[in-house]
Amino acid sequence: MTIRTLHHTAATGGTLITRCIANLDSICLLNEINPMAPLFPAHIFEPLNLVSQLIRSYPDLAAPLRSEHFHNQLEIALKVCRSKRQTLVIRDHAHSDYMIDEPRPSSLLSLLASHARLSLVTIRDPIDSFLSCKKNNWVSSLDFNAYCERQLRFMDDFATIPCLKYEDFCDEPVASMKRICSILSLDYQKECLNKVPAIKFSGGSGRVSDTIERRPRRPIPPGDEDMIRSSTLYREFCQRFGYPSP
């Protein structure tokens, strides 16, 4: 069974795109999955998650426990999707791999290496995603140039996978959804763009709206203006992916 995967870092419009995909018929969408993501604090209520509690007790077993747990859960998900005649779509939480601590290659792709897979990467102008992440305190250890370096590392690791810009999705949602469906071999239905409010996921921490449109850029703090203007890595990102340079 072919698994579909979606990949993007935080604050790049991935939740909106994911909600539209989830509105397609016969889709089972598992949201923000990363078996190697940081653990929640021990006091968080986790009645279904034995493995998180085991890892806290036996940290030396963390990586093999996480891998085994993921594959066991994946087999259950695939079994359910086969019985329900649904297509499994997994949305990666790539932010955990690339923006927290030292960046590492995609955990999800590594764990799915033996499975048939169709994948899509989505991106956004790093200025907009950086400002949103900074507001949410998700990149507190990174300045803008370092953030762009992480974005380039992310895109290098996914270089062979088709890529869609969030801005293009907002400007031409119908054409973009048709392209997404073509890439992921899904059946397009025009109604998927009209039912966005019906789907609720974690994520979507920006200026959430049920209207598909670009948002005005957040004000750039005075201390960041020179850093953005002088970032050579931002210019490299713009040149590689067709964004206008400052």
Side-chain angles (χ1 to χ4, degrees), residues 16 18 44 54 72 77 84 96-97 104 123 137-138 154 164 168 182 195 203 205 212 214 222 234:
L16 173 63
T18 299
I44 298 296
L54 282 170
N72 289 340
K84 300 293 185 181
S96 293
D97 289 325
R104 59 178 180 243
I123 60 173
N137 200 33
W138 292 338
F154 167 71
L164 175 73
D168 290 345
S182 176
K195 299 186 296 182
S205 51
I212 300 175
R214 294 199 197 201
Y234 176 60

Side-chain angles (χ1 to χ4, degrees), residues 5-9 12-24 27 29 31 89 91 120-124 163-170 172-173 176-177 179-181 184 186 192-193 196 199 201 204 209 212:
T5 63
L6 309 174
H7 307 271
H8 37 254
T9 57
T12 57
T15 299
L16 173 63
I17 295 171
T18 299
R19 289 166 75 190
C20 293
I21 293 171
N23 276 326
L24 296 169
I27 294 293
L29 200 143
N31 186 56
V89 181
R91 180 192 182 192
L120 173 70
V121 172
T122 64
I123 60 173
R124 187 184 186 188
C163 177
L164 175 73
K165 293 180 185 177
Y166 166 72
E167 293 85 357
D168 290 345
F169 183 86
C170 290
E172 298 185 329
S176 295
M177 274 304 299
R179 181 172 176 238
I180 289 170
C181 289
L184 298 178
L186 301 173
C192 70
L193 297 168
V196 175
I199 301 292
F201 284 137
S209 169
I212 300 175

